[in-house]
Amino acid sequence: TGVADDDEVDRVADLDLMSERFVPLEAGKTIRIADMPGRLRAYDLHMANGARHRAIGIAVSRRCDLMVAVAQGTGAAPEVARLALDFLASREMERWMIAAMDGG
């Protein structure tokens, strides 16, 4: 059924690999990348050195497969999200994602 809700993004984004202390900033948003539906959610990360970063968790699906991307930065969450989505929307990345999801 695809990425059902924000709880699923929280589970699959593996933000705990960057910081064990992360907090969602708001409810996630539905997105579509390379014709794959999913969700995007922004987080506040409290890094071990005391710094605060923003992270974007992205989870999209194609048939029964899930693709996850995570971006982090020191800028505002909307800017980090825009840069991540622009990168993923590039022709090369879209071709790679579709080939990877199709097993190619």
Side-chain angles (χ1 to χ4, degrees):
T1 61
V3 181
D5 54 32
D6 288 339
D7 288 340
E8 186 169 2
V9 178
D10 295 347
R11 282 192 309 274
V12 301
D14 287 334
L15 292 162
D16 58 326
L17 296 175
M18 289 183 262
S19 172
E20 292 182 7
R21 296 174 34 217
F22 61 92
V23 178
L25 293 175
E26 60 189 9
K29 300 174 179 138
T30 59
I31 58 169
R32 183 170 287 277
I33 297 173
D35 204 31
M36 294 181 282
R39 294 190 67 77
L40 173 149
R41 193 166 197 196
Y43 302 87
D44 190 26
L45 299 177
H46 301 264
M47 307 306 284
N49 67 359
R52 293 179 78 163
H53 291 194
R54 267 21 101 235
I56 304 300
I58 297 169
V60 294
S61 64
R62 184 176 179 94
R63 296 186 208 58
C64 293
D65 295 320
L66 179 70
M67 181 168 286
V68 176
V70 178
Q72 81 161 321
T74 57
E79 180 67 9
V80 176
R82 186 189 62 77
L83 291 169
L85 291 173
D86 285 352
F87 174 73
L88 293 173
S90 70
R91 183 180 313 213
E92 295 81 13
M93 283 304 299
E94 283 194 1
R95 278 197 302 253
W96 178 84
M97 286 185 282
I98 290 170
M101 296 298 268
D102 287 343

